[in-house]
Amino acid sequence: AQRVTQPEKLLSVFKGAPVELKCNYSYSGSPELFWYVQYSRQRLQLLLRHISRESIKGFTADLNKGETSFHLKKPFAQEEDSAMYYCALSGRNAGNNRKLIWGLGTSLAVNP
Amino acid sequence: DAGVTQSPTHLIKTRGQQVTLRCSPKSGHDTVSWYQQALGQGPQFIFQYYEEEERQRGNFPDRFSGHQFPNYSSELNVNALLLGDSALYLCASSLGAVQRTGELFFGEGSRLTVL
């Protein structure tokens, strides 16, 4: 079954501390993984995708196929990072169409 | 570019009523997907429209239906509303039916409350 698991519903860290938001997935093929973010009173938006291997706002995420994980990391959290983070997997369904499968999200709170 | 726009932003209905939500995709996008996001939950895929046809559907009953117009805008209709339909309904647009890049552009949502 295709599934995305974000084990932490809430993660609270202090400003300047490292942060890691966990994402594990279950998918039989070659997945494409994404992190979406929703800041307070803003719309859901793409943060980064694994195929681009880029760092956005200091965040990085590496796809680990052996551990089926795509954890989101930032070495020094900032207060403006406080938001809801969703991990999503793009996979093909029976009709060979892609759709996104979403985790339940992790709420990150960065405290001053 | 206004991005994805949705209307109305908030609405209140009573059980048994019907509701229509509207979405205009980002300029240049031809595919619209609808999601339901209950409080504290992640987005749940309802369906996707491309070339005025429903291309994919999530696990939602037939009370949920939609339409896409020639200008790519879309409507989501929900009949016989239940209390459990109370949620934020998100519209997302992309280019191409298969969402190859997985990058969706979201609207701010329509908050539906069913009393």
Side-chain angles (χ1 to χ4, degrees):
Chain A
Q2 300 173 1
R3 186 170 58 246
V4 174
T5 303
Q6 293 180 250
E8 302 139 331
K9 197 165 186 176
L10 174 64
L11 185 62
S12 183
V13 301
F14 285 104
K15 176 182 173 181
V19 63
E20 180 179 67
L21 291 85
K22 291 184 169 55
C23 172
N24 291 91
Y25 66 89
S26 173
Y27 184 68
S28 57
S30 293
E32 291 182 39
L33 276 297
F34 306 84
W35 278 99
Y36 277 79
V37 62
Q38 188 168 29
Y39 300 101
S40 179
R41 297 189 185 88
Q42 294 188 29
R43 62 187 68 195
L44 197 57
Q45 58 187 291
L46 178 68
L47 179 62
L48 52 80
R49 68 193 86 181
H50 91 269
I51 57 174
S52 59
R53 301 184 64 83
E54 57 194 347
S55 173
I56 302 293
K57 298 184 178 182
F59 284 98
T60 60
D62 291 319
L63 179 61
N64 186 323
K65 292 187 178 181
E67 296 183 358
T68 60
S69 68
F70 187 57
H71 303 328
L72 183 67
K73 301 176 183 179
K74 185 169 182 176
F76 308 103
Q78 302 299 315
E79 289 181 68
E80 56 265 30
D81 296 328
S82 297
M84 194 73 180
Y85 292 81
Y86 293 96
C87 182
L89 176 154
S90 176
R92 292 191 184 275
N93 62 13
N96 205 35
N97 290 315
R98 282 194 177 274
K99 68 174 184 180
L100 284 178
I101 299 157
W102 297 79
L104 294 180
T106 297
S107 177
L108 174 64
V110 181
N111 303 302
Chain B
D1 180 13
V4 179
T5 58
Q6 292 186 242
S7 63
T9 54
H10 295 82
L11 69 166
I12 300 173
K13 293 284 188 177
T14 57
R15 282 178 293 176
Q17 283 190 312
Q18 178 263 345
V19 68
T20 297
L21 307 177
R22 296 176 177 82
C23 171
S24 292
K26 178 180 169 64
S27 178
H29 284 182
D30 57 7
T31 303
V32 172
S33 302
W34 285 93
Y35 287 83
Q36 181 194 66
Q37 187 176 22
L39 203 59
Q41 303 292 319
Q44 297 293 315
F45 176 71
I46 303 176
F47 43 53
Q48 179 191 81
Y49 276 84
Y50 172 69
E51 291 186 334
E52 301 179 50
E53 290 188 14
E54 183 182 294
R55 299 291 179 162
Q56 297 187 57
R57 191 178 182 92
N59 190 24
F60 279 80
D62 292 344
R63 298 186 297 108
F64 289 77
S65 64
H67 190 77
Q68 186 179 34
F69 300 93
N71 66 353
Y72 308 122
S73 66
S74 177
E75 287 182 351
L76 164 66
N77 300 292
V78 187
N79 294 322
L81 284 167
L82 304 173
L83 295 179
D85 295 332
S86 295
L88 182 67
Y89 288 85
L90 297 171
C91 171
S93 73
S94 58
L95 186 60
V98 296
Q99 295 180 44
R100 189 149 43 103
T101 66
E103 180 168 7
L104 299 177
F105 289 80
F106 283 86
E108 293 184 334
S110 293
R111 171 76 61 189
L112 171 65
T113 302
V114 182
L115 301 176

